[in-house]
Amino acid sequence: MRGPGEDFVSGVLDVVAGIPPGKLMSYGDIAAVLGSRAARAVGTLIARYGSEVPWWRVVRADGTPPICHEGQAVRLLEQKGTPLLPTPSGHRVQMRLARHWLASR
DNA sequence: AAGTTGACTTTCG
DNA sequence: TCGAAAGCCAACT
């Protein structure tokens, strides 16, 4: 899938859109699926073009939600039934349970 | 073409 | 467990 016409942006959006409800993926994981380590680029692209995809299902590798919309992301995740873990600093996602594996890693 | 930026990751203290 | 620094890659100017 992802034919030759697909570029990095489309690949990222495609992977994010493919994350099932209740599951999560980290920026690095998405980059890995695309065959790259550009986790930062993934975040930037989602911020720009991810308005139509479930970006709240994409979190950092340590399980903390996106730095820009953490409060909103937590609320959405909680609403979607994602297992959250309360921390002294706020909330954190249990990647160990909710991580969605897709090829590689 | 080259340098800067960024919704990141990992390692060290 | 938390905080700071270095590393990496794609897009933007």
Side-chain angles (χ1 to χ4, degrees):
Chain A
M1 317 34 177
R2 275 170 255 102
E6 298 250 330
D7 48 356
F8 201 81
V9 179
S10 298
V12 171
L13 297 178
D14 186 37
V15 174
V16 175
I19 302 176
K23 290 300 187 73
L24 301 165
M25 280 185 84
S26 71
Y27 296 96
D29 288 351
I30 296 173
V33 172
L34 297 176
S36 264
R37 298 189 191 138
R40 307 189 52 170
V42 171
T44 303
L45 295 176
I46 291 176
R48 229 189 127 114
Y49 306 103
S51 52
E52 298 299 319
V53 297
W55 55 266
W56 55 85
R57 289 178 194 155
V58 185
V59 298
R60 296 207 270 181
D62 59 349
T64 54
I67 190 160
C68 250
H69 298 249
E70 58 181 81
Q72 176 151 355
V74 167
R75 198 167 60 109
L76 287 166
L77 288 168
E78 172 177 77
Q79 199 176 110
K80 305 298 177 197
T82 305
L84 290 181
L85 179 69
T87 69
S89 301
H91 302 80
R92 205 171 176 176
V93 181
Q94 291 199 13
M95 292 293 285
R96 195 165 313 198
L97 302 177
R99 197 176 193 180
H100 176 54
W101 266 285
L102 185 61
S104 303
R105 281 178 94 132

